[in-house]
Amino acid sequence: MSKRVAVMDLGTNTFHLLIAEGTVHDYHEVVHFHEPVKLGEGGINKGYIIPEAFERGINTMQKFLEQIASHQVQAVRAIATSALRSASNGADFISQVKAKTGIQIEIINGEQEAAFIYEGVRISGCLSAKNSLIMDIGGGSVEFILGNADHIIWKQSFEIGAARLMDLFHRTDPIPPASIEALDVYLEDKLADLFTAVTNHEVDTLIGSSGAFETFAELTEIDKGHSFNLKTTKNYSFDPNELLIETNKLVQSTHQQRAANKSIIPVRVDMIVVASLLTRFIIQKLAISKVTMCSNSLKEGVLAGMLG
């Protein structure tokens, strides 16, 4: 009988639960859902989880426990990233979850996070023999991994996630040109290590790992009058010009316009703007001509280790 495991990815914006069974290269998703917990809301750059977000997080973990209990799971891993890493009351959250659910949350550092993301992308078949730059835009941090189907060349996590950038730069809507300029200057400074890392390596493709890139892909296809199903689309190749058009539209849009768009999930309605600006900045700065979306990310990387 194949092993049934549960992975929880407890991010700054979203808590994910994935229950799956099978083998690394042939697994079946039993349960896969996400809750827009918004753990970083109101306190992300202050390093504090506000009471309302704290409570949403606890409630979600109790919901996850019910799912795990009803699906006869044999092994469980709950992985926490940037928001819990940097929150002064993160340890309190972890102990309350343990007391109320019995689930032990593991806080991983940025390096471990990047390694899991690489593994998730690798098992999806998105990588080739040529070098790709994987970018995973989270709410608290952004991971960049330079590598190919064979190995990682370089990886680093940067505390410049969409919730943090939004808090710093996207205060009025649509985002003003002066804020975009300030954001670009900030990224130029914060991502210096990335630019150094790629100087001696040719980047063939930018791979956007899940998150905002799933929304970019869906918007692109819907605008062409096509249907789009993320469950069956594990990877997607963008036409760079179409991607630029979509990100420009998002940058120029109002909150109301984005909220009314069925292709943008509620938790992403506002953060998609800074995610668009970050994506555009990387593509232009590194002169990248090939961009793809891979729906696998951290949780699939953790899963690979559990099923392996």
Side-chain angles (χ1 to χ4, degrees):
M1 187 181 148
S2 68
K3 195 171 167 190
R4 183 173 284 192
V5 302
V7 177
M8 284 156 276
D9 169 5
L10 314 178
T12 303
N13 292 324
T14 311
F15 280 16
H16 299 266
L17 170 67
L18 175 60
I19 298 176
E21 62 186 5
T23 62
V24 178
H25 295 290
D26 183 25
Y27 61 85
H28 160 67
E29 292 183 358
V30 180
V31 170
H32 187 178
F33 68 77
H34 45 82
E35 274 299 312
V37 173
K38 290 192 178 174
L39 206 60
E41 189 172 57
I44 186 74
N45 289 323
K46 300 179 193 83
Y48 183 73
I49 302 164
I50 62 168
E52 298 85 345
F54 197 101
E55 194 180 340
R56 287 195 298 267
I58 298 288
N59 293 343
T60 298
M61 292 305 288
Q62 288 172 318
K63 272 193 214 169
F64 283 3
L65 177 66
E66 287 166 20
Q67 287 291 327
I68 288 164
S70 65
H71 285 94
Q72 293 85 46
V73 169
Q74 289 142 297
V76 173
R77 278 189 86 176
I79 305 286
T81 54
S82 182
L84 280 169
R85 248 196 322 259
S86 60
S88 56
N89 54 344
D92 184 29
F93 181 84
I94 289 168
S95 61
Q96 281 203 37
V97 167
K98 178 81 171 126
K100 290 178 176 173
T101 67
I103 295 168
Q104 182 62 56
I105 295 172
E106 304 166 53
I107 289 195
I108 61 169
N109 64 31
E111 291 288 297
Q112 292 167 299
E113 190 173 351
F116 278 133
I117 291 162
Y118 168 79
E119 208 44 55
V121 171
R122 195 170 74 90
I123 64 167
S124 74
C126 286
L127 292 165
S128 70
K130 291 183 174 176
N131 294 336
S132 291
L133 179 67
I134 301 166
M135 170 160 89
D136 189 302
I137 305 175
S141 62
V142 177
E143 282 66 48
F144 286 98
I145 304 105
L146 179 67
N148 48 49
D150 192 39
H151 65 282
I152 294 174
I153 295 166
W154 169 91
K155 64 184 189 312
Q156 196 170 321
S157 178
F158 297 84
E159 293 288 298
I160 55 160
R164 295 183 196 277
L165 295 179
M166 195 174 114
D167 184 50
L168 291 170
F169 299 100
H170 186 191
R171 297 287 180 84
T172 52
D173 217 33
I175 187 168
S179 299
I180 297 173
E181 275 175 46
L183 173 61
D184 282 350
V185 170
Y186 180 81
L187 293 174
E188 191 78 50
D189 172 53
K190 291 286 180 191
L191 294 173
D193 287 356
L194 166 68
F195 308 138
T196 305
V198 298
T199 24
N200 302 321
H201 299 279
E202 198 174 323
V203 176
D204 178 66
T205 306
L206 175 70
I207 299 177
S209 170
S210 69
F213 281 84
E214 296 174 342
T215 302
F216 298 154
E218 184 162 335
L219 289 168
T220 304
E221 285 303 294
I222 298 294
D223 274 1
K224 290 196 231 172
H226 301 161
S227 62
F228 186 84
N229 181 357
L230 196 58
K231 287 214 182 310
T232 54
T233 312
K234 286 296 174 197
N235 50 58
Y236 176 88
S237 293
F238 292 95
D239 170 312
N241 293 331
E242 288 175 358
L243 179 57
L244 210 56
I245 289 166
E246 289 305 334
T247 51
N248 282 341
K249 272 195 224 164
L250 288 164
V251 168
Q252 289 159 12
S253 65
T254 63
H255 171 86
Q256 284 78 8
Q257 287 169 324
R258 296 189 301 275
N261 193 323
K262 290 185 179 65
S263 296
I264 307 173
I265 59 169
V267 74
R268 223 170 270 158
V269 162
D270 290 323
M271 289 181 209
I272 197 80
V273 174
V274 287
S276 296
L277 289 165
L278 173 59
T279 302
R280 193 166 80 180
F281 176 83
I282 294 296
I283 291 170
Q284 290 171 347
K285 174 80 182 172
L286 302 181
I288 289 167
S289 57
K290 281 160 78 176
V291 186
T292 63
M293 177 278 291
C294 175
S295 65
N296 275 15
S297 60
L298 179 132
K299 58 192 175 304
E300 288 79 11
V302 177
L303 182 76
M306 294 175 81
L307 294 174

